[in-house]
Amino acid sequence: MELTNLSVIRELMSRYGTVFKKSLGQNFLTSANVPVRIADAAAESGCDSVVEIGPGIGTLTQRLCERFERVVAVEVDSSLLPILDETLGDYDNIEIINEDFMKLDLADVVESRFPDDIFALCANLPYYITTPILMRVLENSPKPASIVVMVQREVADRLVSKPGSAEYGAVTASVAWYGKAEKLFAVPSGCFTPRPKVDSAVIRIIPHSEPPAAVSDEDMRRVIRGAFAQRRKTLVNSLLSEYPMSRDDIISAVLAAGLPADIRGERLGVQEFAALATELAKI
Ligand code: SAM
């Protein structure tokens, strides 16, 4: 059964009495080579185990089952479970967990299912919750060895953007603190049903094995939040809203971090943020 075929998708959904739920970001793939390319990119990690978020009717899941020894797929929509039973019936290496990924105890799943605790994460992410899912995965442990996910094209551009560019923002800097992001390939909106209004792209994030600098995650999150709190202001003015310090103290920290006092937050890369967090923590 070719799950990217529109008539197959419609037949399955009508036979099991379910409909596309926009509120859950249900845009299913209708292009056969896209799930193949996503699964190939995920398999490049060399991991034996993979977690998929949002299997839908199992399109990408089938390809993952062919490339990994163990697949755990987390789907929040229980009306899709009987469909997944049918479409994944030929595979004995899949487990579906019917839960909201944002509430899932991923550490427990990894510990109880994956013998070496090493795993990849792969998904055609629901757009309404892309950034919260990525931050949840990156901010907690254990982290995947590799993350290969489809996101809106604008989000992909933002995540791989460089300091000083228009797309660069708090999310870019936060993701860069946790890992290295790259854009793999674009996927036009015509490759989904229902067709979304925007194009998509597949990105890969490889979490760092060691933090890029000797600063706590909490201090990094705080300095990034402060730097982007008021984007149109200078870094010093923006930081004032996050740190209960005098303007002079903040200026001293900025200068001690080797930065000009009138710089804007969006010009700072991870190492500059780390140096600044270190100086602010001394005050
Ligand atoms: N993987 C399928 C594909 O590529 O055709 C479906 C992808 S669709 C963009 C997103 C999927 O994520 C849907 O199946 C949706 O029900 C599921 N989903 C949405 N929110 C979720 C959540 N919080 N936790 C788990 N799954 C979720």
Side-chain angles (χ1 to χ4, degrees):
M1 196 187 318
E2 179 46 66
L3 295 180
T4 53
N5 183 307
L6 204 51
S7 349
V8 170
I9 298 174
R10 286 197 186 120
E11 190 278 323
L12 274 171
M13 294 188 69
S14 103
R15 182 150 50 87
Y16 285 98
T18 185
V19 290
F20 292 108
K21 297 180 187 71
K22 204 175 168 191
S23 62
L24 291 179
Q26 291 181 351
N27 301 98
F28 296 164
L29 279 163
T30 54
S31 167
N33 76 328
V34 176
V36 169
R37 292 179 73 189
I38 298 175
D40 283 346
E44 280 172 24
S45 64
C47 298
D48 295 332
S49 309
V50 65
V51 172
E52 185 192 5
I53 303 165
I57 58 167
T59 315
L60 173 60
T61 326
Q62 287 187 337
R63 305 287 83 87
L64 294 172
C65 287
E66 287 155 6
R67 285 162 184 77
F68 288 84
E69 277 181 34
R70 285 167 293 273
V71 182
V72 171
V74 185
E75 175 55 64
V76 72
D77 183 357
S78 47
S79 80
L80 296 172
L81 300 191
I83 300 186
L84 289 166
D85 264 354
E86 178 175 332
T87 59
L88 302 174
D90 288 345
Y91 302 95
D92 59 7
N93 56 343
I94 171 78
E95 179 189 354
I96 306 288
I97 299 181
N98 181 203
E99 209 172 315
D100 178 347
F101 183 79
M102 294 304 287
K103 296 187 183 143
L104 182 80
D105 185 345
L106 185 59
D108 178 61
V109 170
V110 171
E111 205 177 294
S112 56
R113 269 73 159 193
F114 303 153
D116 52 8
D117 287 358
I118 298 172
F119 67 107
L121 187 110
C122 189
N124 169 12
L125 283 176
Y127 293 156
Y128 76 102
I129 200 175
T130 301
T131 306
I133 286 180
L134 283 178
M135 292 323 297
R136 183 177 170 88
V137 170
L138 289 169
E139 284 174 356
N140 290 288
S141 286
K143 296 192 206 320
S146 155
I147 299 169
V148 172
V149 286
M150 177 128 61
V151 299
Q152 286 186 33
R153 199 186 60 192
E154 286 75 9
V155 175
D157 290 341
R158 201 178 319 142
L159 292 181
V160 302
S161 64
K162 299 276 173 262
S165 64
E167 294 86 8
Y168 189 77
V171 177
T172 323
S174 306
V175 169
W177 169 246
Y178 291 107
K180 176 153 181 32
E182 64 172 319
K183 194 163 154 183
L184 297 182
F185 57 93
V187 181
S189 61
C191 293
F192 303 86
T193 189
R195 186 183 179 140
K197 287 197 183 74
V198 292
D199 291 330
S200 296
V202 175
I203 58 162
R204 170 162 38 214
I205 302 171
I206 301 290
H208 301 308
S209 46
E210 296 291 330
V215 177
S216 72
D217 287 355
E218 200 176 70
D219 283 351
M220 273 307 274
R221 284 203 287 265
R222 187 170 184 200
V223 75
I224 292 170
R225 193 166 56 237
F228 290 97
Q230 288 170 301
R231 224 191 138 105
R232 270 185 240 105
K233 296 195 174 177
T234 61
L235 175 65
V236 169
N237 286 335
S238 188
L239 287 172
L240 276 167
S241 64
E242 178 68 31
Y243 293 85
M245 294 177 184
S246 72
R247 203 182 145 73
D248 284 350
D249 279 348
I250 290 190
I251 292 176
S252 306
V254 169
L255 295 175
L259 302 166
D262 61 350
I263 196 167
R264 286 180 185 277
E266 66 260 28
R267 304 209 75 85
L268 275 64
V270 161
Q271 291 302 339
E272 283 94 11
F273 277 123
L276 181 56
T278 304
E279 295 305 327
L280 286 163
K282 287 181 189 166
I283 296 171

